Amino acid sequence: MASDPALGTDKTRDALRAAHLYYMQDLTMEAIASELHTSRSSISRLLGFARETGLVEIQVKSPADRVSSVQDRILARYGVTAHVVPVPDSTAEVDRLERVAMSAARILGPFFDSNMTMGIAWGSTLSAVSRHLQDKVTHNSQIVQLNGASNARTTGIGYASEIMSRFGKAYGAYVQQFPVPAFFDDPRTKEVLWRERSIRRVLEIQKHMDIALFGLGSAFADVPSHVYVGGYLDDADFEQLAHSDVVGDVATVFYRADGSSEDIPMNARSSGPSLALLSKVSRRVCVVSGRSKLPALRGALAAGVMTDLIIDEATAHSLLEA
């Protein structure tokens, strides 16, 4: 397909964008026409052109548009495979997250199959992704929770369990929950509990994941990260994180702008997997929406925790500006 001269035409670029909005984000043709400032009949013709020329098969293909260029630049700079989701700059942050989550749910499907284990880090982003999953029959597969969800105010079971259950139901996979606190009051309690056979069994499953799926926590996100607003941290914790120059977290494990996570006291109390352990998973999919997540994203890229990045177009462009 790369040798086809039609791939460089304006019509092809428009068809690719329309196809992504229609097939990956479930927008109506009327909504796409409004977004692209054209008529519904024009969108219908573009979608027909996309199908007829093979640009659309099971997935949306985008070999020559500006989104593809951004993906190539992210790969060259960071060594990460980017999946860039077209979203207008004027879109509200909550709607932006929903559109990225919808695309992420569809992109994720081909990554996960029978006889595989996927680790899930709960949070606002993964909650949104879980609402848009498409059913796929798998066998002998499992979903494992990466970090505990309880805190001093709530068990967290309902919140995390709902996310995990949606993934398990969509893929017909066994769900392994992790019934421990998100953060222990005392690191020594964690050390003792980590020696229990029932906990060691979950930790062992985590070590053999085929895929890890996570968002990035940030205290400064426009759409609040659940760990920062859900009662998991108190004033002393926030002060400690600021003193440690923390910019974000993955599965409640915190890191700095340079990607380092060592000597951050909160991590000794966290139930999430270390970034070193996470980096050993063969496919690590990070979902990010909104420019307010850029400090957390840059830190995560410096830490090398992801192989795949699903991100909205505006944030992807901003990432490359620095």
Side-chain angles (χ1 to χ4, degrees):
M1 292 178 64
S3 61
D4 187 344
L7 290 176
T9 66
D10 290 341
K11 183 177 181 181
T12 298
R13 287 192 292 270
D14 290 341
L16 287 166
R17 194 172 187 87
H20 200 297
L21 296 172
Y22 187 74
Y23 292 105
M24 301 292 279
Q25 297 186 30
D26 283 353
L27 267 66
T28 64
M29 283 193 276
E30 288 82 359
I32 299 170
S34 176
E35 186 164 312
L36 300 185
H37 307 292
T38 187
S39 66
R40 184 188 184 283
S41 59
S42 294
I43 297 301
S44 179
R45 287 193 293 272
L46 286 172
L47 292 174
F49 174 79
R51 293 189 296 269
E52 292 165 4
T53 57
L55 296 176
V56 173
E57 297 174 345
I58 296 176
Q59 301 180 52
V60 177
K61 308 290 183 178
S62 53
D65 63 359
R66 66 177 184 143
V67 166
S68 179
S69 173
V70 173
Q71 292 171 169
D72 291 342
R73 291 167 62 196
I74 291 175
L75 179 61
R77 181 179 297 188
Y78 297 105
V80 169
T81 299
H83 310 265
V84 179
V85 181
V87 182
D89 285 348
S90 59
T91 305
E93 289 306 312
V94 172
D95 294 331
R96 181 182 302 275
L97 172 58
E98 283 299 312
R99 288 177 60 163
V100 170
M102 185 180 294
S103 288
R106 285 149 175 75
I107 292 167
L108 183 66
F111 293 173
F112 187 64
D113 216 327
S114 298
N115 304 308
M116 295 180 71
T117 297
M118 184 192 304
I120 302 291
W122 54 260
S124 301
T125 299
L126 268 293
S127 178
V129 173
S130 72
R131 293 193 294 269
H132 298 291
L133 294 169
Q134 295 181 320
D135 290 347
K136 177 179 181 178
V137 177
T138 68
H139 305 282
N140 194 36
S141 60
Q142 60 182 333
I143 306 294
V144 62
Q145 184 176 330
L146 291 183
N147 50 325
S150 66
N151 59 39
R153 300 180 187 176
T154 174
T155 64
I157 292 175
Y159 179 77
S161 177
E162 185 174 24
I163 296 172
M164 301 289 292
S165 295
R166 287 172 181 160
F167 277 91
K169 182 179 179 181
Y171 298 128
Y174 174 75
V175 173
Q176 177 61 66
Q177 296 182 341
F178 198 20
V180 298
F183 299 101
F184 290 87
D185 291 334
D186 189 329
R188 292 171 295 184
T189 306
K190 172 185 171 181
E191 292 173 5
V192 172
L193 189 58
W194 257 223
R195 293 199 293 268
E196 290 291 324
R197 285 181 297 173
S198 60
I199 300 301
R200 290 207 317 266
R201 180 179 61 83
V202 179
L203 297 175
E204 198 63 26
I205 294 172
Q206 292 178 357
K207 289 180 182 178
H208 295 90
M209 293 181 290
D210 300 287
I211 302 175
L213 178 66
F214 51 89
L216 300 179
S218 170
F220 311 105
D222 291 334
V223 178
S225 298
H226 192 72
V227 70
Y228 295 91
V229 299
Y232 291 90
L233 305 171
D234 58 26
D235 291 342
D237 294 330
F238 280 110
E239 184 177 343
Q240 190 176 82
L241 292 176
H243 182 73
S244 299
D245 298 320
V246 165
V247 297
D249 78 273
V250 173
T252 60
V253 174
F254 300 96
Y255 54 86
R256 305 180 183 89
D258 63 0
S260 63
S261 57
E262 298 78 12
D263 303 321
I264 296 177
M266 285 291 295
N267 286 343
R269 296 166 45 204
S270 171
S271 59
S274 69
L275 301 190
L277 187 152
L278 192 62
S279 66
K280 295 178 181 179
V281 181
S282 58
R283 174 162 252 159
R284 308 178 300 278
V285 183
C286 177
V287 185
V288 175
S289 170
R291 291 187 179 96
S292 60
K293 288 284 186 79
L294 278 171
L297 175 56
R298 291 192 174 106
L301 286 166
V305 296
M306 68 190 77
T307 59
D308 292 77
L309 172 63
I310 303 174
I311 184 173
D312 65 279
E313 188 174 2
T315 305
H317 280 289
S318 296
L319 173 65
L320 293 168
E321 288 173 0

